Amino acid sequence: MRLLLLEDDPTLGEGLRDFLQHDGHRVDWCTTLAQARALVSEPYDAWLLDWNLPDGSALDWLRSLRAKGGRTPALVLTARDMLSDRIHGLDSGADDFLVKPFAPEELCARLRALSRRITGGAPCKAFGAVDVRLADKEVRLHGQRVELTAREWAVLEALVLRAGRTVSAPDLQALVLGLDNDLNSNALQVHVFHLRSKLGKDLIQTVRGLGYRMAAPGLPG
């Protein structure tokens, strides 16, 4: 998943970024609302938001984003643990709430839960003969596991999370690499070509002039 992490504590922020990256996510870390506002138009799979920032409340910002139609899942990270705080956070548009201090393993588990919600809840997504297990980072063709490179998996994951929708090439590049985007369009085409070679030429459709698309998944075989 590509994640926007908004956390002003430098030690916690760096630790979470490194742990999440080690878990296979792409993380853009911000320490202020101003930095986050500059990135909000970027394609993210989830926002991880510290409640209180030096320049304002992330919940107030989230509420304004929801009012404008923003639908990106949001997980609020906070030291506040009162019931009223949790209610306020959820009513402001948060999808989940994690009270500090927390184990980073729990954060990763909650992200997997968010991923299941995004994709409809089933642990396995079937695209014809291809079964994709996002939580296990595993893909099978006719029941046989297929080995993918890290970049190939990142491209596949981004498309699976948006199955049924067309993803533009620039958005797909950003989802794969985040802000450290050194993947040019030719390299992206190569990764898509390799995925088609390994998993079938009809798995990923090219929508001319728009980007790439995977059909909505069916029931796992």
Side-chain angles (χ1 to χ4, degrees):
M1 301 175 74
R2 186 187 180 194
L3 307 171
L4 174 64
L5 171 62
L6 181 53
E7 171 57 63
D8 67 314
D9 183 288
T11 302
L12 179 58
E14 183 177 10
L16 288 176
R17 180 199 61 193
D18 292 348
F19 192 93
L20 290 165
Q21 288 178 339
H22 186 265
D23 197 50
H25 302 287
R26 279 77 64 199
V27 183
D28 298 331
W29 173 31
C30 299
T31 58
T32 66
L33 280 172
Q35 292 173 340
R37 289 190 183 101
L39 296 176
V40 72
S41 62
E42 291 278 323
Y44 288 102
D45 296 304
W47 298 321
L48 309 179
L49 307 177
D50 184 17
W51 187 328
N52 293 314
L53 283 305
D55 52 347
S57 166
L59 282 189
D60 291 343
W61 180 57
L62 178 60
R63 189 183 302 109
S64 69
L65 292 175
R66 294 294 189 238
K68 296 174 184 175
R71 298 173 60 186
T72 301
L75 197 162
V76 174
L77 314 174
T78 180
R80 302 187 183 191
D81 60 356
M82 299 291 291
L83 174 60
S84 58
D85 294 325
R86 295 196 295 274
I87 292 173
H88 178 55
L90 294 170
D91 285 344
S92 296
D95 296 271
D96 201 355
F97 212 86
L98 194 54
V99 176
K100 301 175 182 176
F102 55 83
E105 292 85 355
E106 181 180 0
L107 175 58
C108 290
R110 289 176 182 266
L111 287 172
R112 290 193 292 272
L114 279 179
S115 176
R116 289 194 295 273
R117 285 184 226 167
I118 295 170
T119 58
C124 181
K125 297 296 175 183
F127 302 86
V130 177
D131 293 333
V132 181
R133 298 179 180 272
L134 292 175
D136 299 327
K137 296 183 172 61
E138 179 179 292
V139 59
R140 292 178 178 268
L141 177 64
H142 298 295
Q144 300 298 311
R145 183 168 180 170
V146 178
E147 296 296 331
L148 301 180
T149 67
R151 289 275 177 88
E152 290 166 359
W153 173 259
V155 171
L156 180 65
E157 179 191 53
L159 291 172
V160 168
L161 288 172
R162 292 158 183 80
R165 292 184 281 156
T166 299
V167 184
S168 70
D171 279 356
L172 189 53
Q173 291 170 215
L175 287 163
V176 171
L177 289 179
L179 296 180
D180 298 324
N181 195 337
D182 61 354
L183 183 67
N184 60 43
S185 59
N186 289 334
L188 181 61
Q189 291 173 12
V190 169
H191 291 309
V192 170
F193 173 79
H194 287 160
L195 284 170
R196 288 170 172 158
S197 299
K198 293 179 178 182
L199 301 174
K201 61 183 180 65
D202 297 325
L203 179 67
I204 300 173
Q205 305 164 7
T206 298
V207 184
R208 288 196 181 278
L210 295 177
Y212 299 96
R213 180 179 183 275
M214 289 180 65
L219 295 174

